[in-house]
């Protein structure tokens, strides 16, 4: 079964780390993406670079933002192919953001008919 | 039987439907053909076959091929141990932390307690529709989120077993306020769990704790009125129940159990002695507070300290606690103040406790105390 591990960072939590701590945290992220069960994922750019699109009555509205006024910001995700939710939850707990004031949401992917 | 099927089908609804069908077939055939040698095995096998029939009808060819590879159930070889393992797997599934606690409780009662949705709704004073939706949503989550029908891996087991025990104890506590059928059901579940995991001291600790509390249930009420431990008529205690509880406690201690449930059972056991050693009770609460970090446990320690004779010290413990809105904090504080002769403060605390209490017997108890001041 495939699960998306959606990472909600506490803004500034990674930047606040000492250089050597940050390096070891990034190694942890890298190790997860190198895991044989990892089948996808991405790290998102900063929320300051975000642009929002809405379509209303056929007109496209483009706005700058949203800005980081929330407690957590969606920062990236992994997709893992594992046996069950227990395995997915264990991987989620290994994501550094989860212990740096952020949260990881675990969602099953909808299986697409092949 | 349902658990056995769920383990096989990995799907609650199919298992429920297939079970119902199997019973219907049994009701028709058994009076005519006689009851089979292994009725449970027969029912499980029949339900499995029905479920496979249905799935064959309903699903796509690819899935059919997969299902045809499933082993055929052979009635005579149906093993009791297999049923046991599947019950345990189902219990861990129902109490999975990815489910909301209230859903865990409802699922456990439905799948392992054998209670109907209507009975569970009644026990929790909820409309049947609400309980039905709660169960449906939980079953859907099990399916969609890939919650496994399995006993967790060893490194996950302590946490997950704690979750199972918490659900069982929650069911017991729901019953403790008066709905005895829930308390009895919790004891039955813990008994099943103790049989399935005989070497886990905390399982036996919880079973002992509930047995001892339950054995005192007739003395806890006088008519509809609540009676405190010190004022209970001990002749109303179920001595066989207490003995059974103590036997479980001894086994837990023999397994070197020193966890929270074992400690609580030891306290409950001490409290059934003719002369209660309150210093020992207070010491055990002290260890329990260390193990759990719970202010509620500290509150209980304060009560034991008061019973041991040091009311002033007990009040100090209570006043150091942060339990805003917790009714027993105010009722305990009120009782201590009453004993110290500080009547106005006691009255204010009793009134505060009364305002926070929803249980009617507890309300009447507090009102009586207040009137006696």
């Amino acid at each position: 079964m495939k699960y998306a591990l959606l990472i909600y960072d506490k803004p500034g939590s990674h930047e606040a780390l000492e250089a050597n701590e940050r390096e070891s945290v990034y190694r942890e992220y890298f190790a997860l993406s190198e895991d044989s069960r990892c089948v996808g994922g991405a790290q998102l750019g900063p929320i300051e670079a975000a642009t929002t699109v809405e379509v209303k009555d056929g007109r496209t509205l483009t706005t700058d933002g949203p800005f980081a006024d929330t407690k957590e910001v969606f920062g990236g995700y992994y997709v893992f192919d594992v046996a069950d939710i227990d395995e997915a939850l264990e991987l989620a707990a290994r994501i550094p953001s989860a212990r740096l004031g952020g949260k990881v949401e675990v969602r099953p992917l909808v299986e697409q008919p092949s | 039987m349902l658990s056995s099927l769920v383990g096989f089908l990995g799907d609650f609804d199919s298992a429920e439907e297939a079970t119902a069908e199997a019973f219907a077939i049994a009701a028709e055939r058994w009076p005519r053909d006689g009851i089979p040698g292994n009725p449970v095995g027969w029912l499980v096998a029949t339900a499995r076959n029905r479920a496979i029939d249905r799935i064959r009808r309903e699903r796509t060819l690819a899935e059919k091929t997969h299902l045809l590879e499933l082993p055929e159930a052979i009635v005579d070889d149906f093993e009791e141990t297999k049923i046991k393992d599947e019950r345990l797997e189902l219990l861990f599934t129902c109490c999975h932390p990815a489910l909301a606690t209230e859903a865990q409780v409802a699922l456990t009662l439905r799948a392992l307690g054998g209670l109907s949705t209507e009975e569970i709704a009644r026990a929790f004073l909820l409309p049947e529709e609400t309980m039905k939706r709660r169960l449906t949503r939980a079953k859907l989550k099990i399916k969609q989120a890939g919650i496994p029908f399995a006993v967790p891996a060893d490194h996950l087991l302590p946490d997950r077993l704690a979750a199972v025990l918490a659900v069982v104890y929650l069911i017991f506590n729901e019953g403790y306020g008066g709905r005895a059928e829930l308390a009895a059901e919790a004891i039955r579940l813990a008994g099943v769990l103790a049989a399935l995991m005989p070497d886990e001291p905390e399982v036996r600790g919880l079973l002992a704790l509930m047995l001892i509390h339950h054995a005192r249930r007739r003395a806890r009420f006088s008519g509809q009125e609540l009676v405190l431990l010190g004022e209970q008529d001990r002749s109303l205690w179920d001595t066989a129940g207490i003995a059974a509880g103590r036997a479980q406690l001894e086994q837990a201690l023999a397994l070197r159990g020193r966890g929270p449930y074992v400690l609580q059972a030891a306290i409950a056991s001490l409290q059934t002695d003719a002369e209660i050693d309150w210093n020992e009770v207070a010491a055990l609460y002290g260890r329990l507070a260390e193990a759990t970090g719970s202010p509620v446990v500290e509150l209980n320690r304060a009560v034991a300290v008061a019973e041991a004779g040091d009311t002033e010290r007990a009040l100090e413990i209570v006043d150091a606690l942060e339990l805003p809105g917790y009714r027993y904090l105010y009722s305990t504080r009120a009782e201590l103040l009453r004993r110290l002769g500080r009547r106005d403060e006691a009255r204010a605390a009793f009134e505060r406790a009364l305002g926070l209490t929803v249980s009617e017997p507890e309300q009447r108890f507090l009102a009586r105390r207040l009137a006696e001041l």
Side-chain angles (χ1 to χ4, degrees):
Chain A
M1 222 173 140
K2 290 194 187 77
Y3 293 87
L5 275 50
L6 310 176
I7 304 164
Y8 293 86
D9 296 313
K10 180 184 171 193
S13 57
H14 291 62
E15 291 78 357
L17 297 170
E18 300 284 338
N20 58 336
E21 282 177 321
R22 201 179 314 157
E23 203 174 297
S24 87
V25 157
Y26 286 144
R27 270 200 300 272
E28 288 179 61
Y29 282 108
F30 185 67
L32 284 164
S33 64
E34 289 293 288
D35 190 294
S36 62
R37 293 166 292 179
C38 184
V39 295
Q43 179 189 359
L44 304 194
I47 194 150
E48 288 77 11
T51 310
T52 303
V53 173
E54 276 175 285
V55 179
K56 275 183 183 162
D57 301 326
R59 284 183 50 201
T60 302
L61 296 172
T62 307
T63 39
D64 186 15
F67 295 104
D69 55 355
T70 45
K71 216 162 106 299
E72 288 131 10
V73 170
F74 185 60
Y77 69 97
Y78 291 103
V79 175
F80 282 97
D81 193 354
V82 292
D84 56 38
I85 195 175
D86 285 346
E87 215 175 323
L89 295 176
E90 274 188 76
L91 287 161
R94 282 173 50 194
I95 297 176
S97 188
R99 62 166 194 271
L100 295 172
K103 286 194 177 85
V104 177
E105 181 179 328
V106 178
R107 289 266 286 273
L109 296 196
V110 174
E111 302 285 341
Q112 300 298 340
S114 47
Chain B
M1 176 173 156
L2 183 60
S3 62
S4 172
L5 268 178
V6 173
F8 174 74
L9 293 170
D11 181 334
F12 250 85
D13 287 324
S14 302
E16 269 183 16
E17 280 169 36
T19 306
E21 274 186 51
F23 275 109
I25 295 168
E28 179 201 319
R29 284 194 197 160
W30 291 3
R32 191 183 67 207
D33 305 338
I35 296 170
N38 178 351
V40 174
W42 186 93
L43 281 168
V44 172
T46 304
R48 279 184 181 190
N49 292 336
R50 287 281 132 177
I52 291 171
D53 283 350
R54 188 206 322 271
I55 294 165
R56 277 178 185 155
R57 283 197 304 272
E58 289 175 1
R59 299 216 175 147
T60 63
L61 187 66
E63 279 166 309
K64 262 189 214 172
T65 318
H66 163 70
L67 272 163
L68 291 172
E69 289 161 12
L70 290 170
E72 286 290 313
I74 302 161
V75 176
D76 292 337
D77 288 353
F78 199 81
E79 292 169 35
E80 191 63 19
T81 53
K82 182 86 178 133
I83 296 181
K84 280 187 180 173
D85 291 346
E86 288 174 349
R87 287 191 72 116
L88 195 56
E89 287 166 3
L90 186 53
L91 189 52
F92 277 104
T93 305
C94 292
C95 301
H96 197 282
L99 298 165
T101 307
E102 55 191 22
Q104 294 177 24
V105 168
L107 274 178
T108 302
L109 286 170
R110 179 76 189 86
L112 286 128
L115 270 67
S116 69
T117 306
E118 193 200 341
E119 285 170 321
I120 301 168
R122 208 165 44 219
F124 289 93
L125 311 173
L126 286 169
E128 191 181 345
E129 251 334 284
T130 307
M131 189 52 73
K132 209 167 160 182
R133 271 200 306 276
R134 184 178 291 178
L135 282 164
T136 305
R137 205 184 155 273
K139 289 185 222 172
L140 196 64
K141 168 110 195 226
I142 289 176
K143 208 172 180 175
Q144 290 179 332
I147 294 176
F149 287 103
V151 174
D154 282 351
H155 66 287
L156 296 174
L157 196 58
D159 277 357
R160 296 286 306 281
L161 181 60
V164 170
L165 295 178
V167 164
V168 173
Y169 196 34
L170 207 62
I171 293 170
F172 180 80
N173 281 321
E174 281 296 327
Y176 197 55
R179 295 192 294 284
E181 74 279 7
L182 279 182
E185 187 53 44
I187 288 173
R188 203 189 62 77
L189 283 169
V192 169
L193 197 54
L196 297 172
M197 307 181 88
D199 299 330
E200 292 290 342
E202 279 291 87
V203 174
R204 291 188 184 279
L206 175 60
L207 181 55
L209 174 65
M210 296 191 301
L211 280 168
I212 294 169
H213 278 319
H214 197 57
R216 299 197 315 230
R217 72 190 177 282
R218 274 192 287 273
R220 283 191 80 230
F221 290 93
S222 167
Q224 292 292 308
E225 304 309 313
L226 202 62
V227 185
L228 289 190
L229 179 66
E231 293 155 17
Q232 286 175 9
D233 176 358
R234 292 187 166 219
S235 71
L236 293 174
W237 288 1
D238 167 13
T239 48
I242 290 173
R246 288 186 163 184
Q248 289 295 332
L249 174 60
E250 272 166 33
Q251 294 200 40
L253 292 169
L255 290 164
R256 306 189 164 278
R258 301 291 182 271
Y261 290 115
V262 175
L263 288 171
Q264 289 176 81
I267 291 165
S269 174
L270 278 174
Q271 289 177 338
T272 61
D273 286 340
E275 282 292 319
I276 300 171
D277 184 345
W278 286 107
N279 284 313
E280 180 68 20
V281 171
L284 285 173
Y285 272 126
R287 282 173 60 186
L288 190 58
E290 270 170 40
T292 60
S294 157
V296 173
V297 172
E298 271 293 282
L299 183 62
N300 282 305
R301 185 168 77 87
V303 173
V305 166
E307 292 299 322
D310 196 344
T311 315
E312 301 269 4
R313 173 78 197 112
L315 189 61
E316 277 172 32
I317 297 171
V318 170
D319 285 340
L321 292 177
E322 286 205 23
L323 276 168
Y326 187 63
R327 63 186 191 267
Y328 297 120
L329 177 89
Y330 301 101
S331 59
T332 304
R333 192 159 183 280
E335 181 62 23
L336 295 174
L337 290 163
R338 186 189 69 82
R339 289 185 192 185
L340 291 167
R342 292 157 65 173
R343 274 173 50 187
D344 290 344
E345 289 166 277
R347 180 171 292 117
F350 270 127
E351 278 164 359
R352 187 75 201 275
L354 196 53
L356 291 164
T357 301
V358 287
S359 153
E360 284 180 23
E362 286 182 16
Q363 280 176 353
R364 285 194 297 272
F365 173 82
L366 289 169
R368 232 171 30 244
R369 273 288 200 262
L370 197 52
E372 282 164 12
L373 268 180

